[in-house]
Amino acid sequence: MNAPFSYDLDTAVGYAIGHTAHRLKMGLRRAFTAAGHDVTPEQWVVLYRLYESQGLTQVELGERTVKDKTSITRILDRLESKVLAERRRDANDRRSQRIFLTAAGRGLVEHLVPLVRAYAAEAFADVPPEDRDHLRRILANIETRLDAMPEPKDPA
């Protein structure tokens, strides 16, 4: 490889973050499956955000879960088919829908929280709490910087 154009992917921070996030999601999915739950980590995040705030719009839910419109629609379709969430027409804006957990959805979140905590405790067992706090601050700083950067323009 030509030295000026070389790039070491294995030492790239973004790659490391993405790789670790992917491994965490895969492990959480396995933990859900082992406990008999057909829920993906992406669905879990949506369920949990709805548990925190019932009646969000799809746009609000997308913002709180950092998911695009297509992904949120797909996840909600799946959660509705499992009778864990439901869309209801907004009484004040008929073009908008609000999302609510069903009783089964609320119960599932309450059942999964201890499982998620146990998985996280095991996954981060070798990382002292102060290092976890530091990592959260670093990631928040990166996210703040990314929010301040201009969006790249799509090719015309």
Side-chain angles (χ1 to χ4, degrees):
M1 196 174 348
N2 191 337
F5 298 104
S6 67
Y7 181 77
D8 187 359
L9 188 61
D10 294 323
T11 62
V13 174
Y15 178 78
I17 291 169
H19 187 263
T20 302
H22 182 74
R23 298 275 314 272
L24 284 167
K25 286 180 191 177
M26 285 175 23
L28 186 58
R29 173 72 170 150
R30 284 193 298 270
F32 289 157
T33 300
H37 300 289
D38 180 25
V39 178
T40 66
E42 291 77 14
Q43 292 168 358
W44 157 249
V45 169
V46 170
L47 287 167
Y48 192 80
R49 289 298 184 209
L50 287 171
Y51 188 87
E52 290 177 322
S53 302
Q54 289 271 38
L56 295 172
T57 65
Q58 283 189 222
V59 170
E60 292 167 333
L61 190 54
E63 290 169 356
R64 291 193 189 187
T65 59
V66 194
K67 302 211 179 300
D68 62 38
K69 183 178 178 179
T70 303
S71 296
I72 282 293
T73 298
R74 180 181 40 81
I75 291 168
L76 289 174
D77 287 347
R78 190 78 178 119
L79 293 176
E80 277 190 316
S81 74
K82 295 177 182 183
V83 195
L84 297 173
E86 62 184 0
R87 294 174 178 109
R88 297 182 198 159
R89 192 73 54 207
D90 187 324
N92 298 321
D93 182 358
R94 293 172 40 120
R95 297 167 298 165
S96 183
Q97 294 182 333
R98 301 245 168 219
I99 318 302
F100 295 86
L101 289 180
T102 63
R106 284 189 303 278
L108 180 61
V109 170
E110 291 167 1
H111 184 76
L112 290 178
V113 165
L115 193 148
V116 172
R117 282 189 184 140
Y119 172 73
E122 185 176 347
F124 297 107
D126 298 329
V127 182
E130 61 273 10
D131 286 353
R132 287 181 235 163
D133 292 341
H134 191 200
L135 178 59
R136 277 190 287 274
R137 285 192 304 275
I138 291 168
L139 293 172
N141 288 343
I142 293 169
E143 204 164 339
T144 298
R145 176 66 181 147
L146 291 171
D147 288 344
M149 290 171 63
E151 291 286 328
K153 302 266 190 260
D154 289 332

